[in-house]
Amino acid sequence: FGGGGLIDCMDLWNYNINAILNKSKNIIFWGLGHNKHYNQNINFKIDFDKVNMLSIRDYNHESGFRYVPCASCMIPYLNMKEDIKREIGIISHKDYIIENNEYDTITNSQNIYEIIDFIRTSKVIITNSYHGIYWATLMKRKVITMRMLHSNRFEYLKYPPQKYSVDII
């Protein structure tokens, strides 16, 4: 079982994860992340006692679960040679668009190759997307978070980005 912000994202997801845990005797969670949206209550808790082996992508999480990097760190395209085309690029979460008329902008709904190429060709990334932050950090870009960090998934990054403070430069 693995990858992504599956933990506490929705009651339905937690409920279904528990249903799977009840049907199997050998479950491994690898690199799952917490993803509770700030405006949401979670009533179904995951029964972690039924998990045989467990790691999460959340660094220093209060659960004490073992940290492993997000599985996407193994994408080979993250090592592509840089070819800077823009000083600043914006990656918006598809559901929380960063309004902007000044800088080149994409959303996290574009394919992975386009997103990584956008990061590769930008000196600074402004984003409100988990993987926008994560991949830009792995690619050694300066990262600024901006507006609507809507979930606790942003609280447990091993290398937290700079928060937007009016003057981007």
Side-chain angles (χ1 to χ4, degrees):
F1 224 94
L6 296 177
I7 300 172
D8 291 341
C9 184
M10 292 184 237
D11 267 337
L12 179 62
W13 288 15
N14 282 4
Y15 177 85
N16 287 328
I17 289 169
N18 282 335
I20 292 167
L21 289 171
N22 287 330
K23 292 179 187 254
S24 178
K25 301 273 186 248
N26 190 21
I27 294 283
I28 297 170
F29 281 4
W30 187 74
L32 272 68
H34 287 80
N35 190 14
K36 184 181 179 308
H37 291 223
Y38 294 127
N39 62 350
Q40 193 171 25
N41 290 322
I42 299 296
N43 298 308
F44 289 98
K45 299 298 178 192
I46 296 172
D47 187 357
F48 291 107
D49 291 334
K50 293 185 177 180
V51 179
N52 294 73
M53 192 180 301
L54 171 65
S55 63
I56 59 174
R57 70 178 188 188
D58 302 319
Y59 187 73
N60 269 346
H61 190 269
E62 58 269 11
S63 66
F65 295 147
R66 181 178 179 206
Y67 165 79
V68 297
C70 173
S72 69
C73 72
M74 297 189 299
I75 298 169
Y77 304 105
L78 295 171
N79 296 323
M80 291 174 64
K81 185 176 184 256
E82 68 182 51
D83 181 22
I84 302 298
K85 295 179 183 172
R86 71 188 66 77
E87 190 71 24
I88 296 172
I90 296 178
I91 304 172
S92 283
H93 187 285
K94 67 181 178 54
D95 297 328
Y96 304 96
I97 301 297
I98 297 172
E99 297 297 330
N100 162 66
N101 293 321
E102 191 173 349
Y103 305 111
D104 292 344
T105 303
I106 64 170
T107 70
N108 68 343
S109 63
Q110 290 176 252
N111 78 54
I112 194 167
Y113 309 109
E114 291 172 326
I115 296 169
I116 290 173
D117 188 60
F118 187 82
I119 295 168
R120 180 183 69 80
T121 56
S122 301
K123 201 177 233 185
V124 176
I125 293 294
I126 299 170
T127 187
N128 58 0
S129 157
Y130 176 87
H131 286 100
I133 294 168
Y134 190 65
W135 296 336
T137 300
L138 291 176
M139 295 173 78
K140 297 184 170 94
R141 296 298 181 263
K142 294 178 183 176
V143 184
I144 301 170
T145 58
M146 185 173 184
R147 293 194 193 111
M148 294 186 264
L149 298 182
H150 52 278
S151 159
N152 69 347
R153 68 178 148 206
F154 301 101
E155 296 173 16
Y156 303 102
L157 294 161
K158 187 168 186 177
Y159 304 102
Q162 181 69 40
K163 290 188 173 132
Y164 174 73
S165 62
V166 184
D167 182 7
I168 291 173
I169 304 306

